[in-house]
Amino acid sequence: MDEGRRILAEDFTPAYRKLGVKALRARGDHLAELASPCRLCPRECGCLRREGETGYCRTGFAPVVSSIHPHFGEEACLVGRGGSGTVFLTNCNLGCLFCQNSDISHLGKGRSITIQELAESLMALQDLGCHNINFVTPTHQIHAIAKAVALAAERGLTLPLVYNTGGYDQVPTLRLLEGIFDIYMPDLKFTETAAARTLADAPDYPEAAKRAILEMHRQVGDLVVDKRGIVMGGLLVRHLVL
């Protein structure tokens, strides 16, 4: 973390606050259009989620979450003393055989909530003293997340936002997130097609992840940390070792 550019926490303004609530709402509307028929992720399954259909991710149009709480099991630069305010989103657009959260990602453990309830939860995490809002597996629910962030920003949310993803993301979708997320934290699970097909049911994962990570870096650049070593912005890539 010593290589990250350092700033004072009080000098930091989250990207979405610079973007503004009106623009956030517009992005949410655009992402909702991409969600039904669904083209949010590289699978582009085309399911009509507004009408109750579910595609590969087995998720309808409303947000579905497993848990929302301060989390102390993430990287130290996210956790600090107050924890990372983590939103574990249910289901996933990957089929990884080794998933450590398989009860959430594969078995669908969680409950459907409203956009307003999600926004209220983000505010509660801020009130608890978390250092950031950390959306785990956000790709397939990003339309709902954007709308919730717009509501929370209007109510005074000021924490950095983390896009904590498996790396199987679509560049056109990511471009709609520019100016919303401060920190991108993708996995880079595979660089070989055969392994990606066998272990995650996504033979195009290597190329999709590479394109996605380049886009993420274009948006947020290298890591920026405060004097405590807490990440405020930038790209943090997790390399998976099996």
Side-chain angles (χ1 to χ4, degrees), residues 44-230:
E44 295 189 336
C45 68
C47 71
L48 301 175
R49 296 170 69 177
R50 288 184 188 271
E51 299 176 20
E53 291 184 5
T54 60
Y56 188 91
C57 68
R58 305 172 305 282
T59 308
F61 198 69
V64 186
V65 300
S66 173
S67 62
I68 302 175
H69 56 82
H71 187 39
F72 293 86
E74 295 284 13
E75 281 74 2
C77 59
L78 291 176
V79 169
R81 292 188 176 183
S84 180
T86 304
V87 181
F88 282 98
L89 295 141
T90 299
N91 298 324
C92 185
N93 66 334
L94 285 171
C96 300
L97 299 180
F98 47 83
C99 183
Q100 64 181 356
N101 296 322
S102 60
D103 58 332
I104 301 172
S105 63
H106 297 338
L107 301 182
K109 177 183 177 182
R111 63 186 181 91
S112 180
I113 63 173
T114 66
I115 300 293
Q116 182 171 337
E117 287 174 322
L118 181 54
E120 290 170 353
S121 296
L122 305 185
M123 296 305 300
L125 291 172
Q126 178 167 276
D127 292 342
L128 287 171
C130 294
H131 296 295
N132 47 67
I133 303 293
N134 183 356
F135 295 99
V136 179
T137 322
T139 304
H140 60 301
Q141 300 198 48
I142 193 58
H143 58 294
I145 291 169
K147 287 180 175 290
V149 169
L151 276 178
E154 193 171 30
R155 298 174 186 180
L157 187 69
T158 59
L159 294 180
L161 302 184
V162 184
Y163 189 88
N164 184 344
T165 173
Y168 195 45
D169 290 282
Q170 185 89 306
V171 169
T173 302
L174 291 172
R175 286 177 179 155
L176 289 172
L177 306 184
E178 185 169 6
I180 298 178
F181 284 89
D182 305 283
I183 303 159
Y184 281 107
M185 190 165 69
D187 292 339
L188 183 56
K189 299 176 186 287
F190 314 102
T191 57
E192 297 182 357
T193 297
R197 177 186 293 110
T198 301
L199 298 177
D201 195 23
D204 60 335
Y205 177 93
E207 290 306 314
K210 290 174 188 176
R211 290 192 296 267
I213 289 171
L214 285 172
E215 173 61 20
M216 292 173 188
H217 187 264
R218 183 193 69 78
Q219 291 184 23
V220 299
D222 297 335
L223 285 181
V224 177
V225 300
D226 68 11
K227 63 182 180 182
R228 303 165 297 176
I230 302 296

